Amino acid sequence: MTGVQFGELPYLAIGSGVWSCAFSPDGSSFVVGLNNGGVHVYSTSDWEITQTMYAHYREVRGVVFSPDGTLICSGSCDNTVRIWVMESGICQHTLVDHTDMVHCVAFSPQGHQVASCSSDKTIRLWDLATGNCHQILAGHEDAVDCVVYSPKGDWLASGSDDFTVRLWDVATGECTQIFDSHSDEVWGIAFSPQGDQVASASKDKTIRLWDADSGDCCHILEGHNAGVGSIVYSPKGDQVASTSQDGTVRVWDVQSGTCRHTMSGHTSNIFCIAYSPKNGTVVSGSQDATVRLWDVSVGGSRHISSGHSQGVYQVKCSPNGKLIASCSVDQTIRLWDVETGACVRTLSGHSDTVSSIAFSTQGDRIGSGSADKTVRLWDVETGTCQHILTGHTSAVWSIIYSPLGDQVASASEDTTVRLWNSTTGEHCGTLNGHMNGVNCVAYSWDGSLIATGGADFTVKLWDTGAMACTNTLNDHCNWVNDVIFSPGGNQLASASGDNTVRLWTVATGECSLVLTGHDAAITRVAYSYKGDLLASGSDDKTLRLWDVASGQCQAVIRNFQGYVRGIAWTPSPDANFMITGCQDGSVLKWQVIEEDGQCHVRLCWGATNGSLTVTGASIQGVRGLTSLNKQLLKQRDVIGEPENLFREASKKVITMACVLSKMKGPADGMVQGSPSMANSSDEQAQQQVEQQVEQQEEWQDEQQVNSKPHRRRYRRMVRRVRR
C-alpha cells in the first residue's frame, strides 16, 4: 500500500468488493453493501463492526439508513429490496416486484416510503408499513442506475443509462422535467440540502449541477479521468464529493465549480461515497475491497515523514510488545514504537541488504542477518553493535534466537545453518544436510528442535542436542521460504514458492493441511499469539488469515503495493495486533477482530517511504506540541535538542508550524501549520515566515544555545524556509 494522501484516515480491508455505503443520520455508524451479498454496519468512532446481515445472494448495490436510523434498506442484483431492523439485524420485509437488478434505494424524508430503481427501466415506490409497491414510475428508455428524494420528499430525481436525468412528482408519479445534456450513462444523482439544485454524475467523466426549478445547467465539473460513479452534497450544500473509475475522490466548490481537493488511495473503481452529517468526513467504498474515511476539511492532514527508503524484508515484535523491528534493502534496521508508529532508533552497519532480524527472549538484544554474509548482534537500548559474527561464505537469509536466549541460529545461501553463543559470539556448531541454500530457520518453543527450509524444496527437523537431522519433509514442489512452530510446538507451518502453506504434525512429520489461495510465492507465515490463526504473506501482494483448525481462509488484505516480506503478531492474549512489512518500504500495524466466526481487519497506523500515517499527529494552532508530535518532528530534523525547545511558547510553535508549512504545505498531506498561515496569500505567508524566523533567531540568542549539532540543524531549517 502506498503512503496515504491528503486527509485520509485509516481504512478497513473488508475482503469483499464494496458497492454501496451510507452514514447513519447521527454520523455514529456507516453501512456498506458488499459484493458477496452482505450488509455490514461499522462504528465510525472505533471501526468496530456492529452488525452483519446476510440474505442477498448477489452484490448489494444500494444501502441507506432510514431517517430515524432504526432501519436499513438494501437493494441487490438478485432483483430484491430488503428492509432490515438495525438493532437486531432481522430482515423485516423482502420486496420482490422488480424483474431485473436493483441498483439504488432511497428512504423518503418522512421515513414511510422507499424508492428503488432497476435495470428493468422502472422506479418503484414501496409502502414501508406493508411492504407493498403502490406506484411504478416508467419513462426511462434504459436501466435506471440511481434515485434520490428531494429534502421535502415531494420530488424524486433519477439517472439512467439512456443519458438522461428525470424529475418526478411523487404524489402523481408524473415526470415533470428531463435533463438531457450528458453524453453517456448517468450513474449518480443527488439533491442539494436546500432542494434547489440537482447534481448528476456520468460515465462521460463530468458532473453537472442543475437548477431544480428551471432545469438549467449551472456548472459542468470536469477533472476526473474516467467515468464518475457517484456524487453527494456536503451537509451545508456548499460542496459536492465525487468518485470515479480513475480511483480518486474529488471535492468541488458548488458556487465556483472548482475542484478543491483530489484524494487518492483506492486501487480500483470507487463505487460509492457518503458525507457524514456531523464532522466533514467522507466515506468511500471500492472494488479494491476497502472502505476509506477522508477528512476533507482544509489542513486536515495526518502525515509526518518517516520510513525505510527501500523495501522491507522482515518485521518482528519485541517480547514485551512495545517495539517493532524492521529490516530493509536500505541496509538498516529500524525500531518503531508500537502505539504511535514513531521510529525510535535506526541501526546501521551492514553493507548489504538486511534480510532477517530476531529479538532475544528478554528483548534487550536484536540479531540481524545480511547479504553481506555477516550476523550482527545489537543492544536495543543503545543501538550499538556488540558482535559481528563471520563464517558464512554467502548471504545470510534467516536468523533466530533460541528460547533461552543463549544461542543464535543463522541460515545461509551456503547451504549451512550455524549456531552461535549469543553472549560471546563464538561459533558452536554447523548443521549440514540441505542440497541448496537454506532460506529459513526456526526453534521449537522448548528449544529441543530446529526446523529449516531450503531451496532444495525440503523442510528438515534437527535435534539441537545431537546436532542431527531427525526428519525430512518433502511435499513442497518449490523453494521453502519460511518455517515456524505453533505456540504449542506440536505443529509446524511452512511457506513455499509453490503458492501453498503446509501444516505439519511435528511428532509424525505428516502433512495435516494444505492452505491454497495465493496466486504467487508465499514468503512469510506467522502464528497468532493463541495459535488459532495463521497469517501468510505473498508475492501476489496480499496477506491472508487462515483458521488453523479448519484450514479455511478468514480474511484477505489486498492493498499492498509490493510483495509482503514480513509478518509479526504482537505478544498479547487480549487482542490480535499484526505488523506487516512490504517490498515498497511500508511497515503497517493492523488489528484483527474475530467476531461470530468471522475476521475483520483494520489499519492502526502505517509508516511508508515518505509518510507515517497516524491520527492526531498535526500541530494545532499555537498550543504547543504533544510527546508524539515531538518524537515525529525530531525525525524530520526540524526540532532538535536542547529539550527546552519543546516548552510551550507560542512564538516558537508558530515559527515551527510556519517552517513546516513552507517545507510541505497542508495540501501536500504533511503537517498543519497555524490557521493564519493556511489562509494567507503566498507573499503574505513568506513575509510572516521571515518575521517569525527573525524572532526565532533572537530567541535562540537569548537562550544561548551553543550546541554545535543544534546550530547546524537550525541553520539548515532557516535556509530551507528562505529558499
Side-chain angles (χ1 to χ4, degrees), residues 45-337:
S45 60
D46 57 12
W47 293 77
E48 296 286 344
I49 190 166
T50 59
Q51 194 63 264
T52 57
M53 294 162 280
Y54 284 91
H56 292 294
Y57 61 87
R58 290 190 63 187
E59 58 264 38
V60 179
R61 294 203 172 186
V63 287
V64 65
F65 277 94
S66 63
D68 61 4
T70 61
L71 299 176
I72 291 172
C73 180
S74 61
S76 168
C77 289
D78 63 9
N79 304 355
T80 68
V81 176
R82 290 179 181 266
I83 309 296
W84 309 84
V85 178
M86 166 64 178
E87 185 175 354
S88 64
I90 295 173
C91 181
Q92 189 179 71
H93 293 297
T94 302
L95 316 178
V96 297
D97 287 2
H98 280 295
T99 59
D100 209 333
M101 296 184 295
V102 178
H103 294 291
C104 185
V105 289
F107 273 100
S108 66
Q110 295 76 24
H112 63 271
Q113 191 179 78
V114 168
S116 59
C117 63
S118 168
S119 288
D120 64 12
K121 306 179 187 179
T122 69
I123 300 157
R124 290 178 179 261
L125 306 185
W126 310 83
D127 184 272
L128 197 56
T130 64
N132 294 327
C133 176
H134 64 81
Q135 200 163 61
I136 301 174
L137 311 183
H140 282 294
E141 298 174 1
D142 208 332
V144 187
D145 294 321
C146 47
V147 64
V148 65
Y149 280 94
S150 66
K152 294 181 180 179
D154 51 347
W155 299 96
L156 270 175
S158 60
S160 169
D161 286 357
D162 64 9
F163 304 179
T164 68
V165 173
R166 288 177 178 252
L167 292 187
W168 309 81
D169 186 307
V170 172
T172 65
E174 294 181 358
C175 177
T176 60
Q177 289 201 70
I178 300 176
F179 308 151
D180 57 2
S181 296
H182 282 294
S183 59
D184 213 326
E185 299 168 3
V186 179
W187 288 343
I189 196 83
F191 265 103
S192 67
Q194 297 76 23
D196 59 344
Q197 195 175 74
V198 174
S200 57
S202 171
K203 188 180 177 181
D204 65 12
K205 307 179 187 179
T206 70
I207 298 144
R208 292 176 182 260
L209 304 184
W210 311 85
D211 185 289
D213 293 325
S214 66
D216 294 335
C217 182
C218 311
H219 287 294
I220 302 175
L221 313 182
E222 297 178 298
H224 283 296
N225 299 319
V228 186
S230 54
I231 188 81
V232 63
Y233 278 90
S234 65
K236 295 180 180 179
D238 58 336
Q239 295 178 344
V240 290
S242 59
T243 68
S244 170
Q245 288 182 331
D246 63 13
T248 67
V249 175
R250 286 179 178 256
V251 180
W252 310 81
D253 182 83
V254 169
Q255 189 66 31
S256 64
T258 58
C259 181
R260 288 186 175 181
H261 305 300
T262 301
M263 299 175 287
S264 302
H266 284 296
T267 58
S268 190
N269 293 352
I270 307 174
F271 292 135
C272 54
I273 191 167
Y275 252 103
S276 167
K278 296 291 185 181
N279 57 8
T281 299
V282 165
V283 61
S284 58
S286 167
Q287 192 178 19
D288 65 11
T290 67
V291 172
R292 293 179 182 260
L293 291 181
W294 311 86
D295 182 355
V296 298
S297 61
V298 174
S301 170
R302 293 291 189 269
H303 297 272
I304 302 292
S305 286
S306 183
H308 285 291
S309 61
Q310 295 186 63
V312 175
Y313 247 85
Q314 199 174 56
V315 289
K316 290 291 176 71
C317 282
S318 64
N320 63 9
K322 294 181 178 180
L323 288 177
I324 298 160
S326 60
C327 62
S328 170
V329 179
D330 65 12
Q331 304 176 17
T332 69
I333 300 110
R334 287 178 179 259
L335 302 181
W336 311 83
D337 185 289

Side-chain angles (χ1 to χ4, degrees), residues 335-413:
L335 302 181
W336 311 83
D337 185 289
V338 168
E339 294 301 321
T340 66
C343 180
V344 297
R345 189 160 288 110
T346 301
L347 312 181
S348 301
H350 284 293
S351 58
D352 207 334
T353 296
V354 185
S355 53
S356 181
I357 46 175
F359 277 99
S360 65
T361 308
Q362 295 75 24
D364 57 341
R365 287 169 293 168
I366 190 169
S368 60
S370 170
D372 65 10
K373 308 176 188 178
T374 70
V375 174
R376 288 177 179 253
L377 305 182
W378 310 80
D379 184 278
V380 170
E381 183 66 28
T382 64
T384 57
C385 180
Q386 296 179 323
H387 296 292
I388 302 175
L389 313 181
T390 59
H392 283 295
T393 58
S394 192
V396 179
W397 294 130
S398 183
I399 181 174
I400 192 168
Y401 275 89
S402 65
L404 295 178
D406 59 338
Q407 200 173 70
V408 171
S410 57
S412 170
E413 181 70 20

